[in-house]
Amino acid sequence: MGANAEFGVLDNLSISPSFIYYLPKEESFITVNWWEINGNVNYYFIQDEDFHLYGLGGLNYTNVSVDADLDLGELGNYSSDASDGRFGLNLGAGANLDLGSNIMPFAELKYVIIDGCQHELSAGVKFNI
């Protein structure tokens, strides 16, 4: 889940910050939390009345934290945690579907160049404020 914003700079150029929080993943006695902040520039190649297609590039900061809590019975409990943050680059493309209202569905495919590169596919709605 997350939040995106988009601010027009020129007719075909916008700045798009976002924050994404991934739901915690729990496996046995380990919990992983993961979030990221992005700052992208969107360049619109197509801006028809109903359909907008753009390429994107920008910066990414990803933070991952791991918590371990293990109950060893009579031996006691073991707890440990660690976190790491990394900077990366975003490259991708997206599309908006203009329905003529304050709600605009969108989809975006992004490749994040960071340790162990990741692909992200996101979809949602943008609200015109």
Side-chain angles (χ1 to χ4, degrees):
M1 72 181 129
N4 294 351
E6 190 169 354
F7 305 99
V9 177
L10 300 171
D11 287 339
N12 59 347
L13 193 69
S14 67
I15 296 172
S16 180
S18 68
F19 174 78
I20 301 171
Y21 178 77
Y22 299 90
L23 296 175
K25 182 176 182 177
E26 294 185 23
E27 295 228 5
S28 186
F29 60 91
I30 297 174
T31 303
V32 178
N33 290 292
W34 183 349
W35 57 267
E36 66 181 71
I37 297 173
N38 298 284
N40 295 320
V41 174
N42 298 345
Y43 180 81
Y44 283 87
F45 297 104
I46 298 174
Q47 286 187 300
D48 291 339
E49 276 187 37
D50 301 338
F51 182 75
H52 310 151
L53 180 67
Y54 58 90
L56 68 86
L59 296 175
N60 168 285
Y61 177 77
T62 299
N63 183 278
V64 177
S65 64
V66 178
D67 298 318
D69 291 312
L70 182 59
D71 183 0
L72 300 174
E74 292 181 14
L75 297 174
N77 294 328
Y78 171 77
S79 293
S80 180
D81 58 31
S83 66
D84 190 22
R86 302 283 169 102
F87 286 96
L89 297 174
N90 296 327
L91 296 173
N96 299 327
L97 183 61
D98 191 347
L99 302 175
S101 68
N102 286 338
I103 298 175
M104 184 181 314
F106 78 95
E108 201 170 84
L109 178 62
K110 179 173 61 177
Y111 182 69
V112 182
I113 302 169
I114 199 168
D115 291 347
C117 297
Q118 64 189 40
H119 296 85
E120 293 181 11
L121 176 62
S122 58
V125 292
K126 296 178 182 178
F127 299 94
N128 291 326
I129 298 175

